[in-house]
Amino acid sequence: MVLELSGVGLTYPNRPGAVLAGVDLVLRAGEHIGVVGPSGSGKSTLAAVILGLLEPTQGTMRRVPVRAALLSQDATVLAGTVRDNLVFERSGLAESPDEVLFAALTEAGLRAEVEVLPQGLDTELGEGGAALSGGQRQRLGLARALVDEPDLLVLDEPTDGLDPVVRREVLTALLDYVSQREATVFISSHLVHELERICDWVGVMDRGRQVAELPMQSFKNGIKRLRVQGAP
């Protein structure tokens, strides 16, 4: 067991209503769980709770210490070099051999493009990664997530806003890593067909509440329309 949430809720001071309410989730080592729901349903907040970036105000949470990494829908690129971005906030990686960094770029499908940059890993990317395309920025974010060989990947709508070709490249890179490393995955998305490629289980969220959880195969075969009743 990597993570267990029981009745987890989250409210903010001076803000009416719960952002999360009564969420139950068990994430076991090697499992791939996806969550779908409309914007504002609590998917990103739940991802932040799983990573320990937010603490629940209700319920209980048990987490086994593992190497975890986040890839969000808008991967932040630092105004530094490719190398700076890969070792950001990871002091143990600051002196990593180039081979380690290039291995992560390879897994993210970005190595060839970095190798042809004027100064390779030491190429300045400009403010917000201006030297890179949107797809390259997201793949650099993926490389940064993978460079420490995480056991748990938390993916918050990782392909949102990408064109179909780049979306396929990012998903393929994720699938390759997950299959090779037997990593545990939590992924949120509003694109069910993407979750079908990755997940064993799927949950449905609406207005901070978990309204369904079932095996992906059952979800694919049995649910055509879901009506939420009693929503606040």
Side-chain angles (χ1 to χ4, degrees), residues 111-191:
R111 177 169 184 158
E113 290 154 279
V114 169
E115 287 181 323
V116 299
L117 291 175
Q119 294 177 294
L121 288 169
D122 296 310
T123 300
E124 292 285 342
L125 299 179
E127 187 69 30
L132 303 177
S133 69
Q136 288 172 329
R137 288 193 290 271
Q138 191 68 354
R139 282 184 283 151
L140 181 58
L142 176 58
R144 185 168 60 204
L146 301 183
V147 70
D148 202 26
E149 299 184 355
D151 304 303
L152 170 63
L153 277 171
V154 177
L155 310 169
D156 183 18
E157 303 203 37
T159 65
D160 191 51
L162 301 180
D163 67 61
V165 173
V166 177
R167 182 182 298 132
R168 184 171 60 250
E169 291 172 347
V170 170
L171 278 178
T172 299
L174 284 168
L175 285 166
D176 288 345
Y177 179 86
V178 167
S179 62
Q180 292 171 14
R181 307 281 181 167
E182 298 183 352
T184 306
V185 176
F186 173 89
I187 177 171
S188 69
S189 179
H190 59 276
L191 301 173

Side-chain angles (χ1 to χ4, degrees), residues 49-126:
V49 167
I50 288 172
L51 278 171
L53 302 176
L54 292 173
E55 288 294 325
T57 52
Q58 296 175 331
T60 59
M61 176 172 62
R62 293 194 300 148
R63 185 190 300 113
V64 174
V66 295
R67 286 190 304 254
L70 168 69
L71 178 64
S72 64
Q73 58 185 298
D74 184 19
T76 302
V77 177
L78 304 177
T81 66
V82 176
R83 187 189 306 275
D84 292 336
N85 276 271
L86 291 174
V87 302
F88 177 59
E89 289 188 347
R90 288 179 170 89
S91 58
L93 293 171
E95 303 300 325
S96 295
D98 288 359
E99 290 78 7
V100 172
L101 306 184
F102 273 123
L105 291 168
T106 298
E107 289 177 320
L110 194 59
R111 177 169 184 158
E113 290 154 279
V114 169
E115 287 181 323
V116 299
L117 291 175
Q119 294 177 294
L121 288 169
D122 296 310
T123 300
E124 292 285 342
L125 299 179

